[in-house]
Structures are given as C-alpha cells and as structure tokens.
Amino acid sequence: MPEETTRDDETGELPDAVVDAAERLTRLARDAVDENEAAAYRGRRDEILAERDFTSRVREEDETLVLHPEEWLADDGTVRIDSIDDTGRAYEIPLTGADVDGDWEAVEAHNAGLVDSVEAEHGPAHAANVRAFADFMGNHYVRRVDTASRAEIREFLSEYYPRNTWPSEKQESVVRDSIELAFDAADADVPEF
C-alpha cells in the first residue's frame, strides 16, 4: 500500500478494517467455484467501499487490488487523471506473491494468536494443525492464515502437511476441520476447499 498509516474517518479515508475486508472479499471472489458466489463477494466488497465513497478494481497485469475514491471515475467508469489530487489516497494490495502481508513478525504474531485461540476452544490436536498451517502460510507466503486462498489450502493439505508434519492419527483425521476453525477464530470466511 502506498501509505502504512491508519486512515481515519475524519479525513474520509479508509480504516484498516475496511481495507482488510476488501482484500478478503476479493480473495474469496477469486477463489469461488460458483460465479454467483463470486458475484456476491464482489457485491459485498463494493457495498463496504461505497459507504466510504471508494471503489475498487483488480489490475490484472500484476494481480493487484486497487482501492481509490469514486470521485476519480468518469461517467464511463474510467479513471479521470485530471481529478486525482493526491495519489496517496489510493491503496494497492498485491493479491499474489511471497510478500503479500510483508512483515513476518506481524504475520507470525497474528497467526500465533489464532493458534492459541483454537487451542483454548478446541484442544491440542486442532492447535497443532493450525500451527502447521500457520508455519506454511508464514514461511512460504508471509501471510496470515485467514487470507489463504483455496489453492493455498489445497497445497497445504496435499503437499506440505503430508511431507512436513508428523501428525498423530487424531490430528490427521481433523485437519480439514482445523483449518475451518482457524478461519472462524479470525472471524473470516473460509474458501471452499
């Protein structure tokens, strides 16, 4: 993103929670199997942004979600360059690549918190699975577990989990549930996998 500071309501800019929601809904739309489901995620994202007079587009050439003020758009939906007074008002969120979240320590702290929550609520078998998933997402993608795409979850289950963990029978039998519990602990929608 162009700026790392939290934007507040007084300046009309987007709070971090809105940026995070827009990113999460975009990822869910991209991973949705059903086009109606994808359209619903995009519609929800658009509603959240419209409440703040912002809009979004995905720049396909580098797979980046761009959030910017609606006032930048002309009637035909194209961006009016002459209406942009401060490009720092836009947000650019990479949707792919190894450095999506960027700060490994912050990602690890977030993921560790989810592991602790899952353990407190559901026990050590689920916590061990979520820890393995957190290691996979943190070390391979530098991302929070609750931003994982369907493809990344499948990669974890089919490649990383069998090769890099030594789960007990109990852990192995509940690993899919454990992933869902991690998303629940983050209050995030889990992509179908």
Side-chain angles (χ1 to χ4, degrees):
M1 285 190 281
E3 295 181 15
E4 294 297 324
T5 58
T6 301
R7 298 169 186 252
D8 60 43
D9 293 339
E10 291 178 19
T11 62
E13 303 300 69
L14 298 178
D16 291 342
V18 172
V19 174
D20 291 345
E23 178 185 359
R24 182 176 55 80
L25 290 164
T26 300
R27 289 181 185 284
L28 289 169
R30 289 168 63 94
D31 290 336
V33 176
D34 179 68
E35 180 51 38
N36 291 329
E37 179 186 7
Y41 288 131
R42 287 190 298 267
R44 180 68 185 128
R45 177 194 64 203
D46 294 346
E47 288 172 11
I48 290 169
L49 292 171
E51 291 172 3
R52 303 277 180 167
D53 297 323
F54 265 69
T55 189
S56 67
R57 71 181 182 92
V58 175
R59 194 170 56 219
E60 295 297 340
E61 59 267 21
D62 62 356
E63 297 189 60
T64 299
L65 173 65
V66 180
L67 311 177
H68 60 82
E70 287 178 344
E71 67 196 48
W72 292 3
L73 293 178
D75 290 338
D76 65 359
T78 60
V79 173
R80 296 182 329 213
I81 302 299
D82 61 334
S83 67
I84 301 174
D85 55 348
D86 178 9
T87 58
R89 294 177 67 201
Y91 297 77
E92 293 190 352
I93 303 127
L95 297 172
T96 60
D99 193 22
V100 174
D101 284 345
D103 181 358
W104 186 88
E105 286 85 9
V107 168
E108 174 54 25
H110 174 84
N111 289 346
L114 294 179
V115 172
D116 292 343
S117 293
V118 169
E119 183 165 30
E121 292 287 321
H122 305 285
H126 286 297
N129 286 335
V130 174
R131 179 71 262 168
F133 189 41
D135 290 343
F136 168 75
M137 287 300 295
N139 294 334
H140 289 267
Y141 295 102
V142 192
R143 295 229 327 271
R144 302 181 320 251
V145 298
D146 50 299
T147 67
S149 68
R150 179 177 66 235
E152 289 159 348
I153 295 171
R154 288 179 176 170
E155 179 185 358
F156 168 74
L157 290 172
S158 65
E159 297 177 28
Y160 183 91
Y161 191 75
R163 293 180 185 160
N164 297 292
T165 61
W166 294 270
S168 66
E169 286 183 27
K170 171 68 174 166
Q171 286 171 244
E172 195 168 4
S173 70
V174 298
V175 65
R176 296 174 74 84
D177 294 334
S178 300
I179 291 171
E180 292 184 6
L181 293 172
F183 278 83
D184 288 346
D187 196 27
D189 296 324
V190 61
E192 292 181 24
F193 62 94

